[in-house]
Structures are given as C-alpha cells and as structure tokens.
Amino acid sequence: MVTPVVGETQTYSLDDLTRVPWVLGTHLHPDAGPIGRAPEGSRVLMIEAHDFARRKPYHHDKLTLVFSGMRHFRDELRERGYAVTYIKADSFGDALSEYFADHPDDEVVLMRSPSHRSAERFEELVRDAGGQLAVVQNELFVGTREAFDRWANATDKQPFRHETFYRWMRRQTGVLMTDDGNPEGGEWNYDGDNQEFPPDGWESPPVYHPDHDDLTTETSEWVSEEFDVWGEEDGFVWPVTRAQALRKLTHFVETRLPEFGPYQDAMRSDDWAMAHALLGSSINLGLLHPWEAVQEIEQAYYDRTDIPLNSAEGVLRQLIGWREFMRHVYRHSMPRLSDANQLDAPHSLPEFYWTGETNMECLRQTVEDVRQRGYSHHIQRLMVLANFATLWGVEPKQLNEWFNATYVDAYHWVTTPNVVEMGQYGDGVFATKPYVSSANYIDKMSDYCGDCYYYKTKDTGNKACPFNALYWDFLDRNEDELRSNHRMGLMYSHVDSKQESEEMAEIRDRVTTLREKAGYGEL
C-alpha cells in the first residue's frame, strides 16, 4: 500500500464487500486509496464519463491518455481477479444512477480529488442516484492536507512562500538531508545552477517511447471520431499503464537525469524534451506515485557518481516542493483564484495560441510543441506562453482554460495556481512580482531569436520584437499597481528614462500597431 509520507494516513477498511472502491481516471495506482485496501475478488466501480470532453477542444493526446489509461487499468484489475463494473456514460450522474439501480446496498468509497468542491459535487450526484458515498484521504501526494494546515497555522513565516514550504518538506521527508539535519551540499536550492544553455554539439539524451498496444490505438481512433479535438493525432508518446510509467521513470534516472540539472531552464529549437523527466502526466494520472519517483531519483544520486547535485535537487524540488505547494495554494485560494485578475487584464487570448501562426519564433515553436504532443517544458510555459499573455494583457482565466485543454498533464488544481498566479500574477497569494521579460531573457535561454523574423534588440520599428515594446508598455500601464513593489524598482528607473526621452510614446504607438496586426492575423 502506498500512502503519504508527511502526515498521518487515514485508517479505514473495505473488508465489507458492500464498501466498493470507486476509482477515478486520475487515481490509477493499484496500491493507493480504496483499491489498495480492497480484497482481490471484490467489486470495483469505474466510470468513463464523456461530457467533460465535449466542453472544449481538448488535445487529442490528453483524451487518449485519460481514456486509454482507464481502460488499461480496468483490464489489469480484472486480470488480478477484481470484479470491475466499468460504465461508459455521458455523465457521472447517469452512470451512478445505473450503478445504484443494480447495487442499491453498496457504499462507494472514493479518494478525494484535488479539484475544488469535487467531493461535495460527487456527494450530490451519489445522493441524487440513491446511493451512499464515503470520501477518503487522497494518498497520491507526498504530504496530507492536514499536515500542511497544522504547519501553516503554527508557522510564524508566510506559508504560501515556496522556499519556506520546500525546506519544511525536505526536513519532514529527509530527502537530500544529511544525518546532522543539513541539506545535502550545504544549500537548500540549486536553481542558480539550472540556468545554463547547452554548448554547440550537445545532444539531448534519448526519450523513452512506450510500445502502445491495440487498445491504445483503438482508443486514439475513437477519440478522433467522438470528440472535437485539437492537436496532432499521430505519434502518441505518453505512458498509459503503470508498467510503462515505471519504465519511463527508470529510463529518466538511468539516461536523462545526469543532463537535467544544468540545462533545466534552456529552450532549444526542435528539441522538445531536452533532458526533462516527462513524468508529469504519469504522476497526475496516478500511474506513478511521486514518492516512488523521489526514492528512485534520490537513491540513484547516492549510488552513482555521474548525477550532479543540481540535477537531483532540481527534479526533487519539483516533486516534493512545487507540485505539493500548488495543491495547497489551490485549495486555500479557491474559488477566488479561478477568476482572479488583479491587474484587470482585459484582452482575449490571441488566436495563434491555437493555430501557431505567428512570426514570433519562440511562440511559434512552443505552440507547435504543444500541438504535437500536448507538452512543453516549464520555462516555455512560464517565460514564453504566460509571459506573452501577461504582457499582452490576456484575461488570466482564458489562458488557464487554454492550458487545461491543451496539456496532457494539466488539471484545474495544478494549472490554476501555475497559470493564473505564477504565470500572470493574477492574485498575489504567493507571487511577489509578475514573471515578465523582454526578448533579452528568451535570447539568453534559447536559440529561438537567431531565426526569428523580428529583431530581438529593437523596441520600436516595423520588425522590432513584440516582447520588447509590450514589456515596457506593460510596466507603464500597470505603474499604479507595480511601482511600489521593491522588486520592480530597477525596471521603473528604466521606464522613467524612457518617459523623459519621449521614447514611451513611440512604444505605445508600436503596441497599437501590434494589436492591429494581431487582429489581421499578421503578428
């Protein structure tokens, strides 16, 4: 049985065979939650609801991943002797009505979903169907909700500061900690060593591609026929079974992890994976428990000499730090975070986020990466996609909806704090400043600018990079909200000099032209 490491594990039993595990499509771990406690041979409920997939143009690969993952898990449970009731229906409500009509005495036992008010919504649906529901602790995280809340209520520091939380989690788990209670290597965070650009001739390590079976092929074809999907429909690369996910984890540790650290933040043309772990979709689907990944990565660091500390710490920071932090920020900040827009950004998401038709090479290539596989790595998400949307003044909710639809690892609980808060400074619950930049950062961390139609060094003029004028315009139009931020002082000294030289008027004119070009589809 896999359980959380930080906090107490909830005690309950499913020995009574009328207490039936209900396995959601994001809870596909055989040893976590109710299914990990159910005796083999007992009944299991799985519901493949389709209505959510009709609400927006999801990426083909995201829907294929979810539905194929569920169908494979169903078959694996049946092979182990479980009596799986697998209902395909338009909605959860329809499926639950069907289930309880056949099994009126059952109580279904469900692991809590991280999504806002999901437990309350499922309770309503089960009650309306005439059944009983027990919601239990979600065991697919490293820590529990209760442990975080006890710490947050007791700490005299800001709990919604990632570095504070991350250090607490390191101490609680013992990950990369020495026997005397200090962080391995003497530093907590090696982010400063994760920002190199690879030299000429560097080849990224190979990517593990699962060998998909007929069930996945059939599911992929069915998704294409059944739903209004977006993105490339060939070349599906994501694990849909636990065995595939475990192999991907092992492949990352053995082959890719040594190269991960120094180039973690780099972006390179035609290199969609770099040395990233590519485990997010498997972990968020439940095929892998994050602690399984933590243990294998940490053990490899201690056992081998070819894994630098900045590689091991960099990925473990994501697993026990950032992912867990996003969960807690989300649940404490909802529902306001979903609609947050503290800078009053009024604009719609540009169409090229869907089409990829733009002369900006960084955005064109990043959108193409997402279209191909439902994926781009975290710096592309933050410093290309979210950066541009923030500078453009896109309403945060619109960008969040796009991320939810297009990324294979995206779920509302994780995208909302990442996109609305970190990406677009929508609320202020933990972000201390907007993460925005001109073309200078993109040029430093990528090779996109070398082949771009626009000039990276120009603010104004016909072929000046849009990021530059938009950056200064963003600072200018949000001056009332941002000038007093102590982390923005240097930037506003540059704004002042541009206003004094009347350059800001030219920048505003350039932004007006850019918005006109976007309206014509010529940006």
Side-chain angles (χ1 to χ4, degrees):
M1 186 168 64
V2 178
T3 58
V5 177
V6 179
E8 297 79 20
T9 300
Q10 185 175 351
T11 301
Y12 58 94
S13 171
L14 274 79
D15 291 338
D16 180 350
L17 296 184
T18 63
R19 301 197 81 208
V20 176
W22 175 11
V23 179
L24 296 180
T26 51
H27 293 169
L28 304 183
H29 197 294
D31 301 318
I35 192 63
R37 293 165 171 80
E40 290 189 5
S42 58
R43 187 160 49 246
V44 176
L45 172 63
M46 296 184 71
I47 296 173
E48 183 183 299
H50 300 154
D51 58 348
F52 85 92
R54 305 187 197 281
R55 295 173 191 157
K56 61 184 74 170
Y58 282 100
H59 198 292
H60 167 272
D61 289 6
K62 180 169 187 174
L63 297 184
T64 299
L65 174 66
V66 171
F67 292 130
S68 181
M70 291 184 69
R71 294 172 185 184
H72 278 90
F73 195 66
R74 169 201 64 194
D75 293 350
E76 290 166 8
L77 291 178
R78 286 173 175 168
E79 289 174 5
R80 291 173 53 186
Y82 291 98
V84 181
T85 299
Y86 193 91
I87 302 174
K88 297 178 181 180
D90 188 52
S91 68
F92 281 111
D94 292 343
L96 289 166
S97 295
E98 179 182 333
Y99 180 81
F100 285 112
D102 294 335
H103 307 286
D105 297 326
D106 282 359
E107 178 188 42
V108 293
V109 184
L110 176 69
M111 218 167 28
R112 181 185 297 274
S113 166
S115 295
H116 178 63
R117 289 201 77 250
S118 58
E120 293 84 350
R121 179 57 179 153
F122 284 133
E123 287 169 351
E124 293 170 3
L125 291 173
V126 170
R127 185 170 57 249
D128 292 345
Q132 302 178 73
L133 172 68
V135 178
V136 297
Q137 180 184 71
N138 190 314
E139 295 178 353
L140 291 172
F141 289 89
V142 176
T144 67
R145 293 156 41 113
E146 294 77 14
F148 174 85
D149 290 348
R150 282 197 303 271
W151 169 75
N153 290 332
T155 184
D156 58 357
K157 297 180 180 180
Q158 169 55 260
F160 294 121
R161 181 173 178 266
H162 175 254
E163 187 65 22
T164 304
F165 172 75
Y166 173 53
R167 294 185 184 190
W168 176 71
M169 285 292 286
R170 287 275 294 276
R171 293 187 179 100
Q172 292 295 304
T173 60
V175 169
L176 292 181
M177 298 292 290
T178 62
D179 292 340
D180 58 1
N182 292 313
E184 191 70 40
E187 300 292 337
W188 289 100
N189 187 316
Y190 288 88
D191 186 55
D193 296 326
N194 298 144
Q195 300 172 16
E196 298 179 32
F197 190 81
D200 292 342
W202 180 79
E203 293 186 9
S204 56
V207 175
Y208 165 73
H209 291 274
D211 185 13
H212 289 300
D213 60 10
D214 290 343
L215 178 55
T216 297
T217 300
E218 292 165 5
T219 303
S220 173
E221 293 172 352
W222 170 77
V223 163
S224 298
E225 296 169 359
E226 186 72 17
F227 304 106
D228 181 19
V229 294
W230 179 80
E232 183 61 51
E233 299 180 21
D234 296 320
F236 182 70
V237 299
W238 304 107
V240 296
T241 69
R242 176 158 168 75
Q244 290 175 347
L246 287 168
R247 284 194 291 271
K248 194 168 190 67
L249 169 60
T250 299
H251 181 270
F252 167 66
V253 174
E254 291 180 350
T255 308
R256 301 171 60 76
L257 178 58
E259 301 288 336
F260 171 72
Y263 310 132
Q264 179 179 334
D265 288 0
M267 300 172 283
R268 198 167 68 158
S269 297
D270 302 319
D271 193 349
W272 69 276
M274 297 292 287
H276 288 269
L278 311 178
L279 296 173
S281 65
S282 296
I283 292 173
N284 288 350
L285 210 61
L287 298 174
L288 279 178
H289 194 286
W291 188 246
E292 294 173 316
V294 169
Q295 288 180 301
E296 189 160 340
I297 292 164
E298 184 185 30
Q299 191 61 50
Y301 169 73
Y302 285 121
D303 289 347
R304 290 161 48 184
T305 60
D306 65 327
I307 300 174
L309 181 55
N310 66 322
S311 287
E313 189 277 325
V315 68
L316 293 173
R317 188 188 332 135
Q318 301 300 314
L319 292 169
I320 69 168
W322 193 255
R323 182 175 185 269
E324 301 278 321
F325 184 63
M326 290 297 95
R327 174 202 188 192
H328 298 305
V329 168
Y330 174 82
R331 67 188 183 86
H332 279 277
S333 303
M334 287 293 289
R336 78 169 192 274
L337 190 60
S338 183
D339 296 313
N341 187 5
Q342 70 173 345
L343 297 181
D344 295 322
H347 294 287
S348 298
L349 188 72
E351 184 64 19
F352 60 73
Y353 276 73
W354 294 103
T355 66
E357 296 176 359
T358 172
N359 290 318
M360 289 176 284
E361 193 67 12
C362 57
L363 277 157
R364 187 192 68 78
Q365 289 205 35
T366 298
V367 171
E368 179 62 16
D369 283 347
V370 182
R371 192 186 71 81
Q372 286 282 341
R373 303 168 197 87
Y375 173 87
S376 68
H377 73 67
H378 67 285
I379 293 298
Q380 291 173 293
R381 302 185 198 204
L382 177 64
M383 298 309 299
V384 177
L385 296 167
N387 183 17
F388 184 86
T390 305
L391 298 179
W392 193 255
V394 172
E395 181 188 16
K397 187 173 185 177
Q398 292 193 34
L399 184 65
N400 194 23
E401 288 294 310
W402 181 82
F403 268 91
N404 263 288
T406 59
Y407 277 80
V408 294
D409 55 7
Y411 296 93
H412 197 260
W413 69 268
V414 71
T415 63
T416 303
N418 266 303
V419 175
V420 174
E421 174 66 354
M422 184 71 175
Q424 291 200 262
Y425 196 57
D427 181 85
V429 61
F430 71 83
T432 56
K433 71 177 184 69
Y435 278 84
V436 292
S437 78
S438 64
N440 184 56
Y441 177 88
I442 296 172
D443 183 45
K444 173 187 174 184
M445 295 306 303
S446 80
D447 59 3
Y448 294 142
C449 297
D451 294 325
C452 191
Y453 168 84
Y454 292 107
Y455 297 134
K456 63 188 179 185
T457 57
K458 293 185 177 295
D459 293 347
T460 57
N462 186 47
K463 294 184 70 175
C465 176
F467 274 90
N468 294 335
L470 289 169
Y471 176 73
W472 296 114
D473 179 70
F474 170 83
L475 294 175
D476 181 46
R477 71 176 186 267
N478 291 294
E479 181 174 3
D480 291 345
E481 292 81 8
L482 300 178
R483 180 178 280 274
S484 60
N485 187 319
H486 70 280
R487 299 188 66 188
M488 306 290 289
L490 177 61
M491 293 301 97
Y492 274 100
S493 68
H494 294 308
V495 171
D496 291 340
S497 66
K498 290 181 182 296
Q499 289 173 334
E500 291 170 3
S501 67
E502 299 184 357
E503 185 181 353
M504 191 60 72
E506 296 179 28
I507 287 172
R508 293 191 191 104
D509 289 341
R510 173 62 174 161
V511 171
T512 298
T513 299
L514 292 173
R515 296 195 185 281
E516 291 172 352
K517 289 170 70 70
Y520 299 137
E522 297 176 354
L523 191 58

